Amino acid sequence: MTQPPAGRGIRIAGTGSSTPDNTLSNFDLEKILDTSDEWIQQRTGIKTRRVVDQSTGAGTISLACESLANAVEDSGIDPKELDLVICASVTQEMTCPSASCRAAHHVGATNAAAFDLGAACSGFLYGLNLADTLIRQGRYKTIAVIGSDAMSTVLDYTERGVSILFGDASGAAIVTADDDPSRGCLYQSMGADASNWQCLYLPKREVDIPEADRDNPIEMGKLRMNGREVFKFAVKKFQEVIEDALENSGVDIDDISQLICHQSNLRIIESAREKLGLEKDRVYVNIDRIGNSSAGSIPLCLDELNKAGRIREGENVLFVAFGGGLTWASSLWRV
Ligand code: UT7
């Protein structure tokens, strides 16, 4: 999509988030894995991550419910005004009903349609871009987009190459039609290279395991990742999608107040920041505290920035993500 349709603007009316209280530090991981705090910090920038207490029933749904409730409160919008609730996740606890239905019920969004969306770490941006398009078309006025992942529930904590990277979090944004047509998503892009799906996958059955991994003992329901390949893809793709968004929107990099990247690995984020020549305070980072929380990562960053008063009306914010699929997305907003 190159130009947003004229006539109707969109604003981010409110944001919310939820992170579990329990922390899992690199020192905790040193006790159960052949790894070190030094290695993890150097290769990923992560010091600690949040993990749900599964014994209490906490997980993707409870995180989604709480982040949506926070976003509704922040927006001041009556939940009955929500037309649609979209929840992006790779860790759905139930395929029926969806996490979005559960979250909609939790906040009393009795007039909302609801569905879940699967695009891995790009999921929240896929949802946000879809919400923008539906609102601009005029079919919907107010939409809640949630990203929620309890990654700790799909990690094999004997696998040091994967388990050190991820944590649990959820974030949500409520977007609504606005009279000012200059506000909203100025440019969006989404894509997928499914030929590389084997780089990052969550097998449920033996048949899901690709030929090359057949000899590895893989626990079903646990995430598998070729970190090196995903890393190379991510560095290249971030650069491409950022250039594409700036070129096609006509917005200069100097006019981007915040670049909000999926918190995948600090080295990936830093590579994008350095290539663009951006100062550190224009590229948000919380991976040191939170880890990589998949679909929860970008909306959590948005909420932390918003609550800190750093999402200011009239400024441009560029969101970029990549993830399993392999998928990617960008979304450039005048907020
Ligand atoms: O959200 C999107 C999904 N995923 C990503 O964004 C992941 C992108 N990839 C990455 O973040 C990185 O590839 C990792 C952090 C996962 C791994 O870092 P790396 O620098 O690519 O390490 P590597 O896999 O190339 O492994 C280098 C060495 C290996 O040892 P040898 O073969 O050189 O002796 C690994 O066995 O580091 C070893 N290693 C570890 N050592 C200590 C791998 N994991 C660990 C560990 N602790 N946790």
Side-chain angles (χ1 to χ4, degrees), residues 35 39 43 121 160 225 227-228 262 264-265 267 292 322:
T35 192
W39 191 96
R43 301 286 178 124
C121 308
R160 66 179 183 173
M225 178 174 75
R228 221 174 281 188
H262 166 48
S264 50
N265 178 320
R267 289 190 292 144
N292 176 339
F322 71 91

Side-chain angles (χ1 to χ4, degrees), residues 51-52 54 58-60 91-93 149-157 168 202 221-222:
V51 291
V52 291
Q54 292 183 53
T60 300
T91 54
Q92 286 96 339
E93 283 147 14
D149 269 316
M151 296 303 289
S152 65
T153 63
V154 296
L155 293 178
D156 175 350
Y157 281 101
D168 306 342
L202 226 169
K222 301 296 179 196

